[in-house]
Amino acid sequence: MNWIPLTNLEQLESIGDSEGYSVIFKHSTRCSVSLMAKKRFEHDWDAIPAATSVYFLDLISNREVSNTIAQKFSVHHESPQLLLIKNGECIYETSHGEISAEDLAEQMA
């Protein structure tokens, strides 16, 4: 599985309009907790169905996209943060040490 860089609002609109599951991982490049969560998530991401689109947001470089995510999906901004989007709605969100590819996969089962 590969990250899809999330860098613009058009992509975010596409995620909101798509059917099925999409995942957004919001990451702060300035935060060691975020780096640890990212590494742990990547270590276990084989648990996620292969056809799932997994987006990576560098929220320092893409602040507008990050702010729009909070508004569009009615979630409080966190970093790091993992969101599961299904048919345009955020159905699961978690942050910090609670981020887990296995837990995410359970939400999709």
Side-chain angles (χ1 to χ4, degrees):
M1 190 169 304
N2 294 312
W3 291 113
I4 302 167
L6 179 54
T7 59
N8 62 64
L9 295 176
E10 290 78 21
Q11 286 176 289
L12 194 54
E13 283 301 314
S14 179
I15 292 168
D17 292 340
S18 68
E19 293 184 12
Y21 292 104
S22 297
V23 176
I24 299 173
F25 185 95
K26 292 172 55 181
H27 173 68
S28 171
T29 55
R30 298 180 186 158
C31 175
S32 61
V33 172
S34 192
L35 180 61
M36 295 271 291
K38 178 180 176 276
K39 285 184 178 194
R40 194 172 72 223
F41 183 78
E42 289 174 329
H43 182 265
D44 293 329
W45 76 354
D46 285 344
I48 302 168
T52 307
S53 297
V54 183
Y55 293 87
F56 178 84
L57 175 68
D58 173 349
L59 62 90
I60 302 297
S61 298
N62 299 287
R63 181 64 65 185
E64 181 182 19
V65 177
S66 179
N67 291 340
T68 303
I69 286 170
Q71 295 170 343
K72 181 174 185 64
F73 297 113
S74 301
V75 295
H76 180 74
H77 166 77
E78 301 268 359
S79 170
Q81 185 174 35
L82 184 71
L83 290 84
L84 177 60
I85 311 300
K86 182 178 181 185
N87 301 330
E89 291 186 39
C90 181
I91 62 166
Y92 174 76
E93 119 6 78
T94 191
S95 65
H96 297 82
E98 300 299 315
I99 292 174
S100 162
E102 292 173 347
D103 290 348
L104 178 71
E106 286 180 22
Q107 295 294 320
M108 298 170 74

